């Protein structure tokens, strides 16, 4: 795993030491001697992780971290403060500034490399989501950066897994000041509880009686419903080796006992903010995918999706020797609806038409807006006779009840014409099937509209 690490320190000896450690692990290392230089490099997206000293002359590390975390261009870059300051107040100040971790010098090579590798995995995952979400911005969706910066990380749902009553009562009381907390004292039930609870954070004690806390963390990472939930591990100071192992298997952060109240709250907020940000990125990606294949007005699939998916359905039908029916529907005299009642009324008709189509077909059927007032319905494993019955039922559904327009103030009569055919010949081109259905539709319109015309292969 390779990543570009930015080391920020005004002491050349410290820079050289960190550079040697990281280079030995095949990380690409770049350096900055002050905060201003570090901010400029980070804004140019030239680093994956920042190792930041606190005591610097022009701008201290706390201020650098605050600026990084409040800039939409850099807030997603993990920041680890590496400093000689070792008081709880300094550590909490760093975490409150937005640092992902606070390591006190001298830092062992094992701890440093484990933390960098863990954050590298996180950064790569976030970068992938950010790249995929670029399309979301191009189609007008809101970028999540500004909401992430404004998010205080409070109001989360936390599952605390701990079987020591004195411990979980204290931790739950602290966390309850900012979050909703559920306690699971039975480790064997914890994974089921986590999967069902839609939590923002799992806090797992690694000192469970007769149960391996690391195995629970590993299982949470392998289960689809908990894979992306951040995990904060808690352990005794002598269990540092197990904590490092936890970072390797997907634990996001850790705390050593005795637990400092302020630090616990700060680390919980950091993990919850990150969870919400990555969830927002995933939602944007999913929404952009849906928007690319969905007609915005009717909610049905669009022509692009139909043309690609129809070929797959036709191939499956040919391979399995099953029938495939296809119908093209056209709203009769749709232009006159727009001319007489306005385009808003036309949109109302199209939306209601899509609703009635969905009610008339099966879940496995594919309904698409082909363009304008034309629609296509593809029905797998359906012969011409059955498809004709469905088409006639749909025709009656449209003609049998007027369409409400202008917010229900007017109701207008609407009818449709349907051209129907089936894929009968193995390996027949999809374009030929569509052309045959279109020919049948032309006949339906020519013969007086408001009717279904079938055309066999």
């Amino acid at each position: 795993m390779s990543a570009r690490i930015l080391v920020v320190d005004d002491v050349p000896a410290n820079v050289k030491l960190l550079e040697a450690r990281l280079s030995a692990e095949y990380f690409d290392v770049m350096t900055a001697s002050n905060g201003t230089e570090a901010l400029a490099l980070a804004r140019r997206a030239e680093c994956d992780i920042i190792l930041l000293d606190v005591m610097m002359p022009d701008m201290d590390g706390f201020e650098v971290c605050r600026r990084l975390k409040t800039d939409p261009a850099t807030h997603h870059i993990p920041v680890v403060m590496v400093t000689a300051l070792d008081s709880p107040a300094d550590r909490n100040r760093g975490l409150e500034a937005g640092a992902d971790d606070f390591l006190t010098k001298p830092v062992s090579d094992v701890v440093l490399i484990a933390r960098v590798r863990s954050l590298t995995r996180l950064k790569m995952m976030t970068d992938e989501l950010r790249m995929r979400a670029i399309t979301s911005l191009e189609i007008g969706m809101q970028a999540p950066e500004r909401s992430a910066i404004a998010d205080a990380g409070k109001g989360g749902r936390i599952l605390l897994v701990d079987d020591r009553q004195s411990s979980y009562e204290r931790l739950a009381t602290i966390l309850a000041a900012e979050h909703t907390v559920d306690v699971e004292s039975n480790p064997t039930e914890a994974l089921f509880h986590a999967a069902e609870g839609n939590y923002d954070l799992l806090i797992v004690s690694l000192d469970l009686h007769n149960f391996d806390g690391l195995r629970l963390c590993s299982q949470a990472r392998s289960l689809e419903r908990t894979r992306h939930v951040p995990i904060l591990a808690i352990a005794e100071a002598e269990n540092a080796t197990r904590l490092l192992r936890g970072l390797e298997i997907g634990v996001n952060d850790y705390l050593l006992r005795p637990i400092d109240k302020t630090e616990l709250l700060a680390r919980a907020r950091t993990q919850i903010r990150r969870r919400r940000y990555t969830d927002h990125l995933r939602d944007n990606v999913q929404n952009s995918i849906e928007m690319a294949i969905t007609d915005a007005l009717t909610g049905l699939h669009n022509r692009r999706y139909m043309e690609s998916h129809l070929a797959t359905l036709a191939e499956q039908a040919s391979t399995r020797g099953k029938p495939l029916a296809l119908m093209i529907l056209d709203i009769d005299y749709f232009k006159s609806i727009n001319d007489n009642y306005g385009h808003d009324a036309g949109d109302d008709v199209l939306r209601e038409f899509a609703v009635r189509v969905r009610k008339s077909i099966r879940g496995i059927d594919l309904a698409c807006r082909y363009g304008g007032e034309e629609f296509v319905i593809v029905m797998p494993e359906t012969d011409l006779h059955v498809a004709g019955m469905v088409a006639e039922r749909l025709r009656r559904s449209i003609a049998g009840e007027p369409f409400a327009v202008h917010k229900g103030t007017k109701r207008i009569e609407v009818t449709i014409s349907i051209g129907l055919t089936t894929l009968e010949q193995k390996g027949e081109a999809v374009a030929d099937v569509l052309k045959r259905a279109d020919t049948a539709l032309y006949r339906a319109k020519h013969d007086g509209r408001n009717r279904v015309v079938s055309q066999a292969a």
Side-chain angles (χ1 to χ4, degrees), residues 384 420-422 424 436 454-457:
L384 196 61
L420 174 63
T421 190
T422 55
E424 299 290 353
R436 193 161 57 248
S454 301
Q455 183 165 323

Side-chain angles (χ1 to χ4, degrees), residues 109-174:
D109 290 357
V110 174
V111 171
L112 176 66
I113 299 305
R115 202 67 182 105
V116 168
R117 283 177 175 161
S118 172
L119 290 171
T120 296
R121 285 192 295 268
L122 174 68
K123 174 65 161 48
M124 288 180 173
M125 178 196 72
T126 305
D127 281 350
E128 183 177 354
L129 287 171
R130 291 177 73 245
M131 289 298 294
R132 292 181 180 179
I134 288 176
T135 304
S136 304
L137 305 182
E138 294 173 349
I139 59 178
M141 296 179 64
Q142 184 179 3
E145 278 75 13
R146 295 201 177 277
S147 60
I149 291 169
D151 187 359
K154 298 181 181 180
R157 298 195 70 246
I158 298 175
L159 177 63
L160 172 61
V161 184
D162 194 341
D163 56 7
R164 288 164 49 186
Q165 184 174 355
S166 60
S167 173
Y168 67 65
E169 285 182 349
R170 177 174 181 266
L171 296 178
T173 300
I174 294 171

